[in-house]
Amino acid sequence: MGKYNVENENVEIRLERLFKVEPELLYQAWTDQRFLKQWFMTTERTNKTIEVAAEQNGTYKIVDVRKGKENVVQGTFASLLPYEYIVMTIGMPELSDSEDTIEVEIFEREPGITQMVFNYTAFVPRERRLTSLEYKQKKKEYHDSTAHGFEMLFDKLQLTLEEFEADL
């Protein structure tokens, strides 16, 4: 379960998950467009385009179409340490000018079992009209819904990795 931080204007989410794959495959799932297209903010069915340059300061851009509406998700790979660590930004330009930060740590727990520690930091602006209590509630709601969304994404990631392993 993620915990929420309400002391500042950022919402921080930390999730951990175990996968029955080697660290190299989990890292590839975060950096290879063939994998990303299947689980990260899109699906093979709804993906219109995906461009990924998984290198230091490289960028990615995903265009997903659902119910006739185009959704763009884009960001930059700020730090890449193959098979161990990824820092990337994520933004949705039609919703906000700001970008959030994703940090992924990958550890081999034992052969064939890899742990992923996922940290997400998002800026949640405080509207003047909100009291401190209302703002804390807004941040908690944002935290809970975003954490739930990432948990669902990671369920899809798990299925994607299982299907890949089954096809070997």
Side-chain angles (χ1 to χ4, degrees), residues 119-132:
N119 291 296
Y120 178 81
T121 305
F123 176 75
V124 178
R126 181 172 179 163
E127 301 166 42
R128 282 192 196 138
R129 65 179 178 79
L130 296 179
T131 66
S132 289

Side-chain angles (χ1 to χ4, degrees), residues 72-99:
V72 176
V73 178
Q74 62 189 27
T76 302
F77 291 99
S79 181
L80 293 166
L81 181 57
Y83 318 129
E84 294 178 24
Y85 186 69
I86 301 164
V87 177
M88 59 197 280
T89 63
I90 181 170
M92 298 177 152
E94 69 270 5
L95 299 179
S96 170
D97 291 337
S98 69
E99 287 190 330

